[in-house]
Amino acid sequence: MRRIITTIMAMLICLCAITACGSSNEAPEDSAVNVSLDDVVNKIKSVNPVADERVIDDFAVENEMGLDPAIIDQYKGVVTNSQSDCSLIFVAKAKDGKTRELKQQLTDYLTGLAANDLYVEFADKIEKTKQARVLVYGDYVVLAIAGLNVDNDVVVKAISEAFGE
């Protein structure tokens, strides 16, 4: 039942907040990675501005994104609150041994968002989100959806740079 509710919430987010997702790529893992979540989010925002941003809070993490808070050590994120864009930035540090599980939950969230293609007026946003990435750097998992006027490769490069690559 929770899975169904999570899926429905994900679709509602797509329609209301116009955020969505897509494919997942895994960056090289390095368990010694240690970064500031604020620095990573700010680096991504420097190339992928988030219009009318809304902070991703505890409620959103659990009820909108369907993530298990028990596997997350810390997180920071923002999502657009504008129907004219689809930007989303989410960076989380998984608890020890939970990185793979967190990556899977974020991938499931993205898959649910990208699956809703019922409304043609959102086609450009859905297409952008299909290019999105879930990247792993040690215990950190990053989800970034590029805005409509942003090249996804630029976002991926900024994420890599934020993690010192």
Side-chain angles (χ1 to χ4, degrees):
M1 182 66 171
R2 180 181 169 148
R3 194 113 170 117
I4 292 170
I5 291 171
T6 301
T7 302
I8 291 170
M9 291 296 290
M11 288 180 184
L12 287 173
I13 290 170
C14 181
L15 295 175
C16 296
I18 313 304
T19 60
C21 65
S23 63
S24 299
N25 284 351
E26 189 166 337
E29 292 190 27
D30 177 7
S31 60
V33 173
N34 192 14
V35 296
S36 159
L37 297 179
D38 286 321
D39 290 347
V40 175
V41 169
N42 289 332
K43 178 69 174 176
I44 299 167
K45 282 172 48 175
S46 73
V47 299
N48 186 37
V50 179
D52 191 22
E53 72 181 45
R54 173 176 61 95
V55 172
I56 297 174
D57 60 12
D58 292 343
F59 181 86
V61 165
E62 188 170 6
N63 297 293
E64 294 173 7
M65 299 175 78
L67 305 179
D68 180 1
I71 66 171
I72 300 172
D73 185 37
Q74 55 182 316
Y75 71 89
K76 181 159 180 92
V78 292
V79 61
T80 187
N81 206 26
S82 169
Q83 291 194 9
S84 63
D85 204 5
C86 57
S87 300
L88 180 143
I89 300 168
F90 184 78
V91 182
K93 183 175 183 184
K95 290 192 177 176
D96 286 341
K98 299 297 183 180
T99 305
R100 187 177 303 251
E101 189 175 344
L102 179 57
K103 179 182 186 274
Q104 185 60 54
Q105 288 182 12
L106 279 171
T107 300
D108 292 346
Y109 167 67
L110 291 172
T111 300
L113 290 174
N116 187 355
D117 60 359
L118 297 174
Y119 299 95
V120 70
E121 63 268 22
F122 300 137
D124 56 344
K125 295 163 188 75
I126 296 296
E127 185 56 37
K128 270 310 260 200
T129 60
K130 287 179 180 179
Q131 300 170 14
R133 301 289 195 271
V134 175
L135 303 170
V136 176
Y137 295 87
D139 294 332
Y140 295 89
V141 183
V142 181
L143 160 62
I145 300 172
L148 291 178
N149 297 319
V150 178
D151 184 316
N152 191 64
D153 292 335
V154 172
V155 175
V156 171
K157 183 178 181 207
I159 295 167
S160 293
E161 289 173 0
F163 283 93
E165 294 189 6

